[in-house]
């Protein structure tokens, strides 16, 4: 049997299975979840059935043989049940995230700091220098880690970082020797 024939046979087996189980699974899901979730969960269940077509018990391997619904449906209900559980877990995570975001918004101070000067100073840097500074300041990477992320050498990163911090300090009107939020020796490549 060629690969194309095998695919056609698998497709025919799945279409027969889908024709037999789609309506019962749809009813099963309607009784267990809201109507707006049913189609998505059914689609996920059908995808699992497609992927695991060879695992479906009672599904005859002989072309044209009709499987017994009593053999096939219980396993397919189990697949739909698993997909429903996954959807409920995902929905729960989504709701917890929304609640956490709402709480975070409520805890935010009402006055928003103006960082336009910093953003303008960063924009004045070259693209690579800007990326080096962001990786160092925002992601808290060491020069060695920045070198790995950017493809530069650790020494080149240290030099770029030193120069970029000096330019930023000048543009922001600060003295270069004021603390910048990181330890003074973090810009060295030996770390």
């Amino acid at each position: 049997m060629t690969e194309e024939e095998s695919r056609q046979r698998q497709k025919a087996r799945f279409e027969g299975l889908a024709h037999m189980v789609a309506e019962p699974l749809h009813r099963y899901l309607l009784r267990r979840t809201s109507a707006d979730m049913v189609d998505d969960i059914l689609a996920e269940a059908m995808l699992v059935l497609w992927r695991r077509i060879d695992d479906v018990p009672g599904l005859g391997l002989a072309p044209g043989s009709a499987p017994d619904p009593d053999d096939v449906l219980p396993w397919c209900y189990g697949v739909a049940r698993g997909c429903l559980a996954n959807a409920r877990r995902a929905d729960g995570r989504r709701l917890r995230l929304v609640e956490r975001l709402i709480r975070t918004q409520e805890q935010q101070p009402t006055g928003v700091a103006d960082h336009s000067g910093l953003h303008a100073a960063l924009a004045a840097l070259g693209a690579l220098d800007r990326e080096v500074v962001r990786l160092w300041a925002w992601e808290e990477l060491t020069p060695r880690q920045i070198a790995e992320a950017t493809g530069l050498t650790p020494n080149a990163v240290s030099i770029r970082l030193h120069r970029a911090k000096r330019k930023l300090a000048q543009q922001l009107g600060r003295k270069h020797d004021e603390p910048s939020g990181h330890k003074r020796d973090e810009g060295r490549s030996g770390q």
Side-chain angles (χ1 to χ4, degrees):
M1 179 180 329
T2 68
E3 191 175 320
E4 182 61 29
E5 290 171 337
S6 175
R7 269 188 271 181
Q8 290 298 325
R9 194 175 113 220
Q10 184 176 6
K11 181 181 175 186
R13 288 176 66 209
F14 176 74
E15 287 173 352
L17 176 67
H19 182 71
M20 178 190 313
V21 301
E23 189 58 36
L25 292 181
H26 191 266
R27 286 191 311 264
Y28 170 87
L29 292 168
L30 272 175
R31 289 188 290 268
R32 285 162 177 78
T33 190
S34 62
D36 59 331
M37 291 180 65
V38 169
D39 289 335
D40 290 338
I41 298 169
L42 180 60
E44 184 65 31
M46 297 308 281
L47 180 62
V48 171
L49 292 176
W50 168 256
R51 289 180 181 153
R52 298 192 57 198
I53 191 77
D54 292 332
D55 298 335
V56 179
L59 190 60
L61 295 176
S65 66
D68 183 5
D70 292 336
D71 293 336
V72 173
L73 273 173
W75 194 83
C76 294
Y77 284 138
V79 169
R81 184 175 177 268
C83 292
L84 177 60
N86 288 342
R88 286 181 176 156
R89 280 191 297 273
D91 200 39
R93 285 190 302 268
R94 215 175 356 264
L95 288 174
R96 286 190 300 276
L97 176 61
V98 168
E99 289 170 1
R100 199 168 46 227
L101 288 172
I102 290 171
R103 281 194 309 270
T104 302
Q105 285 294 335
E106 291 170 353
Q107 296 170 358
Q108 294 282 333
T110 55
V112 177
D114 180 24
H115 297 293
S116 59
L118 175 60
H119 290 290
L122 275 171
L125 295 176
L128 188 54
D129 288 343
R130 191 170 43 248
E131 181 64 10
V132 166
V133 169
R134 287 177 177 161
L135 289 170
W136 173 77
W138 294 348
E139 310 306 327
E140 299 181 358
L141 297 181
T142 64
R144 183 165 297 178
Q145 293 168 322
I146 296 169
E148 189 174 325
T150 60
L152 298 170
T153 66
N155 190 42
V157 169
S158 294
I159 293 168
R160 283 183 176 276
L161 184 59
H162 175 74
R163 290 177 182 164
K165 288 189 324 187
R166 187 173 47 205
K167 287 178 189 175
L168 287 172
Q170 289 171 351
Q171 289 178 358
L172 294 172
R174 296 182 181 160
K175 294 181 182 176
H176 183 62
D177 54 14
E178 285 184 10
S180 60
H182 285 281
K183 291 182 232 167
R184 189 121 166 100
D185 60 349
E186 273 188 329
R188 296 191 181 131
S189 63
Q191 291 202 3

